[in-house]
Amino acid sequence: DREFKFEVIEHEYANTTDDKFIFKACKNCGAGYLDPQPDVTALGIIYPPNYYANVLESQAIAGADDMRAMSGFYKKIGLAILRLRLRPLTRHIQLGPNTTWLDIGCGHGWVLETLNEVYGAKGVGLDMSETAVAHCRRRGIEAYAGRFEDFEPDDKVKFDFIHSSHVIEHVSSPYEYMRKCWDLLKPGGLCVFVTPNIATPEA
């Protein structure tokens, strides 16, 4: 049971498309989406090389050595923030060296690296950016390039913990996305989805 909300156009990037898109929302749960949905083959147009996440990622990769050479102040702040973010999760799952976990949309691997430093948990990264994945691998992080929907772990590996930050709102089917996460979880495992809130003043 849906209703028309907005007719929207690209407003941040000049090198994507001039097409107009219809934004609708479910009257019951409030979930918003484009209808009709862009085809998966349009991902390269929707997320151009200057897409903000790609730019931030490139800056982070380019400045990684400089950041490590600093006094460690920024690293300490980052670790403190991560601990705060993860504290509620520790009521539901024990994070430690034996925790197997997957970071969907891992970027240049900061969360993978810091979770390993804080809890000793060694995770697996997945990202659409081959550049980011190559950077992770150079630092000894296991990572794979591609869409989560196409991801097939070796030897049918399952995970204790799956982390997905600001990814689920970009996929064609959130249901299928969550279903695959469920299939990849061990019994008693935990999956966390972080996503923007479309009810905020900013949205």
Side-chain angles (χ1 to χ4, degrees):
D1 189 11
R2 58 192 179 175
E3 60 182 345
F4 170 87
K5 283 292 195 181
F6 312 105
E7 183 179 73
V8 298
I9 59 171
E10 173 61 76
H11 63 284
E12 291 182 295
Y13 304 98
N15 57 334
T16 55
T17 177
D18 294 325
D19 290 350
K20 295 180 179 179
F21 299 90
I22 304 301
F23 187 87
K24 295 182 179 178
C26 173
K27 293 179 182 179
N28 297 309
C29 72
Y33 54 93
L34 298 181
D35 184 27
Q37 214 172 59
D39 191 76
V40 67
T41 57
L43 287 174
I45 299 172
I46 297 169
Y47 304 109
N50 58 323
Y51 179 63
Y52 85 96
N54 296 335
V55 172
L56 290 175
E57 169 192 295
S58 298
Q59 291 173 344
I61 291 171
D65 291 336
D66 294 334
M67 290 294 287
R68 272 196 287 271
M70 290 183 180
S71 64
F73 173 75
Y74 292 104
K75 190 171 186 179
K76 289 177 182 177
I77 293 294
L79 288 172
I81 291 172
L82 187 66
R83 284 192 179 97
L84 286 173
R85 282 182 58 189
L86 293 175
R87 187 177 296 163
L89 309 185
T90 58
R91 295 198 300 265
H92 307 283
I93 186 171
Q94 184 174 354
L95 298 172
N98 295 323
T99 303
T100 57
W101 76 286
L102 174 68
D103 189 13
I104 306 171
C106 65
H108 60 279
W110 179 80
V111 176
L112 285 161
E113 193 170 63
T114 50
L115 198 65
N116 180 251
E117 291 185 23
V118 175
Y119 295 101
K122 190 171 182 180
V124 175
L126 180 67
D127 200 276
M128 287 279 290
S129 169
E130 293 184 1
T131 303
V133 167
H135 183 68
C136 288
R137 289 175 174 175
R138 282 196 297 271
R139 286 154 54 221
I141 299 171
E142 183 181 354
Y144 301 90
R147 297 168 66 235
F148 175 62
E149 292 87 339
D150 302 323
F151 176 61
E152 294 296 338
D154 295 336
D155 301 322
K156 301 298 180 183
V157 171
K158 291 187 180 289
F159 301 94
D160 298 301
F161 174 46
I162 297 178
H163 176 258
S164 168
S165 180
H166 292 246
V167 176
I168 194 170
E169 70 273 14
H170 297 270
V171 303
S172 58
S173 173
Y175 173 80
E176 293 298 333
Y177 185 85
M178 289 189 286
R179 181 73 210 186
K180 181 159 186 173
C181 285
W182 171 265
D183 291 339
L184 289 177
L185 279 180
K186 292 180 181 178
L190 179 69
C191 187
V192 173
F193 303 97
V194 182
T195 187
N197 182 356
I198 66 169
T200 60
E202 180 186 13

